[in-house]
Amino acid sequence: MRASLKRAARGVVDRPRHSLLVAAVAAISLAAGTTITSAAWTDDEWVHGAVGVGSPGDCTSNSLFTSQSWARQVSGSILDVGLDSIAGVEGLTVTNNGTTASPAPVTATPVPGTTDAFISKLPVTVLGGTVVEAGLGLGVPVGGIGSYTQWAQARKNGQSHGASGLVSDQSGATDVGGTANGAATAPRAASISLGNIVPGSLAGVTLDVGAVASSAALDGCVMTNGWPTLDTTPAVQRDYGIASLDLNAHVPAVGALSSQGTASVGPVLSQLNSLTETSRLATAVSDDISDIVEPLLGLTGGIHEISTSVTVSVPNASTVSSLMTESMTDRDGIVTVDLGRGTVMVDLATLTGSATGLNNMGPNHEVVLDAAMIATVTGKVTSLLEDWKTRVLEAFTLKTTTNMTLKLAGLDVATVAVNVGPSTLGQILDGTAPPPVVTSKVLGLDVGGAVKAVLGPVTAALTNGANAAVTDALNATIFNAGLPALGTSLQSLITPVINAVGSVLDAVSSHVAMNVNVRPDQPWPGTKPADVTAAAGEYKVSAVRVGLIDNAGLLSLSIGNSSAGPVALRVP
């Protein structure tokens, strides 16, 4: 048994986040001869048909023991209401008195073809209409089947087995990755509304727990002098899996960045379009370009006239507007900022876990949001928004084309073309735009070289000064008219977001304790919560526990629970 379960557990760790887990661990096949998906594992040692009383020398076929097993999808208390008080949430317990296996509740369904095993379904709607619903929402299991499976087996040969999680049918076969049921991603087991439990510092914050599963198996029999006896150090196998653990926060500053960012860029875009349509910007550019050239015309003693025409192209409004509602995720997949929803999501499993997320952790592993991890998150938020601000500014592209004709005695003697851009608005305003392209051409005969003599200095002056002329024109027509520099305006909206995210993470770290692979009989980091208990001889495991550090009554929730034992020799 140990070897087969260990092989199964190794199969879990190599899967990606959405099919990882529970893809293997929650996918428990509990009936002999059942065809299961590749995302399931089978504990073959526990799969048997009817068992008769065997010889005293057989540890698998005897009736010398009493045993117990337990499975429960969700347990604990929320908003000072114990889940034990809510009908339908009590889970499944199977006891065997050495003769008969009995389930509680009695409505549990026997597993066809599997001795002394039962299933009890937990509907996702079981919390509807209760006060607990404000703090906890159960997610829809695989394929929207509408219920979670709690499975337990207690045998008179000293073997017991409990399992809970997203099991889609009585065989225990499932595909948490979603491929067999049409889902694109792994389902969510629960959404804990921390904001409804601690409405002050955690307002708008939820903890979303992905698909979970756990399994506990126990063999309490050992051969002693050719006789089945109670093993004082029994063979125990416990497994758990958790697909994801995400912190979602509705951050008002993110919503403000979207709405006020739109308010900041909208007038810039409108004014650019308006100035283009009315030729005001073109006129300003023409005037500034002419101011560069006209002082040089007198050098020839003959060319005293210049005529200019300017065309300006401005950005597409839809391109800029779409950036105001963008959702962006860092390259590590840890942080997502959604401007349209006004939310920030932190993937705690990736941030605090290993290559397999929060799977394969040691007993009672604590999910810690320390100062370094909080700094990592705020750093990623900063990078995402700085990159976003750059892309907003880059979306405002501007191109000007100025065509000049130089005249002598009323005749056209040369043309000069000046192309500025296309460059971003930010580049033009901060002086980092590429140099303009200036071309000139002599028309007709240049008697005495007078025209050529002036084109050299004109071309050099325009190459050095045309960009600045366009900058001056923008400032004169838009930014000096009361509208602040766009980059500064956006930065003033970004800084509050970064501060707000840090405050949310600090509050979660101060108020909320999170542990995975919870085993009450194993050492606990710090002070063990009062609800983390197990009876003597009971080997329990919970996939994840979430609780308030200072008020377990408001929140102490364990998800994906199972246990095996105690097992004892039957009293004749």
Side-chain angles (χ1 to χ4, degrees):
M1 175 191 70
R2 288 175 173 170
S4 65
L5 290 176
K6 287 179 180 177
R7 285 195 301 271
R10 284 196 299 269
V12 176
V13 304
D14 296 327
R15 306 190 180 209
R17 162 182 165 127
H18 292 306
S19 58
L20 182 73
L21 148 85
V22 200
V25 178
I28 302 169
S29 175
L30 305 174
T34 301
T35 300
I36 61 176
T37 71
S38 61
W41 58 263
T42 304
D43 181 5
D44 294 320
E45 185 156 340
W46 298 107
V47 181
H48 296 286
V51 178
V53 177
S55 67
D58 191 345
C59 224
T60 61
S61 56
N62 68 79
S63 56
L64 300 178
F65 295 87
T66 63
S67 64
Q68 179 175 301
S69 60
W70 172 77
R72 183 169 176 174
Q73 177 66 15
V74 58
S75 63
S77 64
I78 299 176
L79 296 171
D80 291 317
V81 176
L83 296 183
D84 290 344
S85 65
I86 299 177
V89 190
E90 67 274 11
L92 170 64
T93 301
V94 177
T95 57
N96 195 310
N97 61 8
T99 303
T100 305
S102 303
V106 295
T107 54
T109 304
V111 178
T114 303
T115 303
D116 299 332
F118 296 83
I119 276 179
S120 179
K121 296 285 187 176
L122 175 68
V124 298
T125 56
V126 70
L127 300 178
T130 69
V131 66
V132 169
E133 189 178 23
L136 173 65
L138 294 179
V140 177
V142 174
I145 60 175
S147 63
Y148 298 89
T149 293
Q150 301 160 130
W151 189 98
Q153 179 186 40
R155 303 183 65 187
K156 56 190 175 183
N157 64 358
Q159 297 175 350
S160 65
H161 189 181
S164 69
L166 297 176
V167 181
S168 61
D169 54 37
Q170 288 189 339
S171 73
T174 189
D175 176 11
V176 178
T179 56
N181 295 284
T185 60
R188 186 176 64 193
S191 181
I192 305 170
S193 299
L194 299 175
N196 289 339
I197 298 170
V198 185
S201 58
L202 294 177
V205 180
T206 63
L207 187 65
D208 293 333
V209 183
V212 298
S214 70
S215 174
L218 168 67
D219 187 349
C221 177
V222 66
M223 297 302 297
T224 304
N225 298 324
W227 191 268
T229 59
L230 181 65
D231 192 346
T232 57
T233 57
V236 179
Q237 179 65 52
R238 285 179 280 190
D239 293 294
Y240 81 100
I242 174 170
S244 60
L245 185 64
D246 297 331
L247 186 71
N248 278 283
H250 182 270
V251 181
V254 176
L257 176 57
S258 177
S259 61
Q260 296 180 32
T262 300
S264 295
V265 303
V268 177
L269 192 60
S270 297
Q271 289 194 43
L272 281 171
N273 285 316
S274 175
L275 291 169
T276 302
E277 292 170 0
T278 60
S279 300
R280 287 176 56 199
L281 182 57
T283 299
V285 172
S286 177
D287 290 343
D288 289 340
I289 292 291
S290 296
D291 288 343
I292 295 173
V293 175
E294 285 178 349
L296 302 173
L297 298 184
L299 295 176
T300 65
I303 301 177
H304 297 287
E305 297 180 61
I306 178 175
S307 64
T308 62
S309 64
V310 179
T311 57
V312 181
S313 60
V314 295
N316 186 298
S318 61
T319 301
V320 179
S321 297
S322 65
L323 290 169
M324 297 299 107
T325 57
E326 183 177 275
S327 178
M328 60 201 89
T329 302
D330 74 287
R331 67 179 62 185
D332 298 318
I334 291 175
V335 177
T336 298
V337 179
D338 191 325
L339 298 179
R341 295 177 179 271
T343 59
V344 175
M345 187 277 284
V346 180
D347 182 342
L348 296 178
T350 301
L351 173 67
T352 66
S354 64
T356 57
L358 289 171
N359 295 292
N360 304 306
M361 296 298 177
N364 304 316
H365 175 78
E366 186 176 12
V367 181
V368 178
L369 270 178
D370 57 21
M373 290 185 178
I374 292 174
T376 295
V377 173
T378 55
K380 289 181 177 297
V381 171
T382 301
S383 296
L384 284 172
L385 295 182
E386 288 291 344
D387 176 71
W388 170 82
K389 181 184 73 174
T390 298
R391 286 185 287 114
V392 171
L393 294 178
E394 289 178 348
F396 283 89
T397 58
L398 189 70
K399 178 181 180 180
T400 67
T401 300
T402 304
N403 292 304
M404 295 181 291
T405 303
L406 305 184
K407 296 179 179 293
L408 177 61
L411 299 176
D412 297 343
V413 295
T415 60
V416 179
V418 184
N419 290 289
V420 175
S423 298
T424 69
L425 195 59
Q427 289 176 312
I428 294 173
L429 291 174
D430 63 20
T432 60
V437 176
V438 182
T439 58
S440 61
K441 182 180 179 181
V442 175
L443 303 177
L445 297 175
D446 184 12
V447 180
V451 177
K452 186 176 181 180
V454 77
L455 286 181
V458 166
T459 300
L462 289 173
T463 300
N464 294 325
N467 280 359
V470 174
T471 300
D472 291 342
L474 284 172
N475 283 324
T477 55
I478 299 180
F479 295 102
N480 281 354
L483 197 65
L486 187 56
T488 302
S489 176
L490 293 177
Q491 186 60 53
S492 70
L493 297 171
I494 288 173
T495 301
V497 173
I498 299 168
N499 295 335
V501 170
S503 296
V504 168
L505 296 177
D506 284 334
V508 172
S509 178
S510 300
H511 293 291
V512 183
M514 297 169 281
N515 299 79
V516 299
N517 193 16
V518 176
R519 304 185 184 192
D521 58 301
Q522 298 295 309
W524 189 269
T527 303
K528 183 187 293 186
D531 59 286
V532 181
T533 60
E538 179 187 23
Y539 297 91
K540 183 186 292 185
V541 59
S542 301
V544 60
R545 179 194 179 273
V546 180
L548 291 186
I549 295 174
D550 298 323
N551 194 332
L554 280 179
L555 177 63
S556 56
L557 183 69
S558 294
I559 306 174
N561 310 285
S562 57
S563 73
V567 169
L569 284 171
R570 176 169 58 89
V571 178

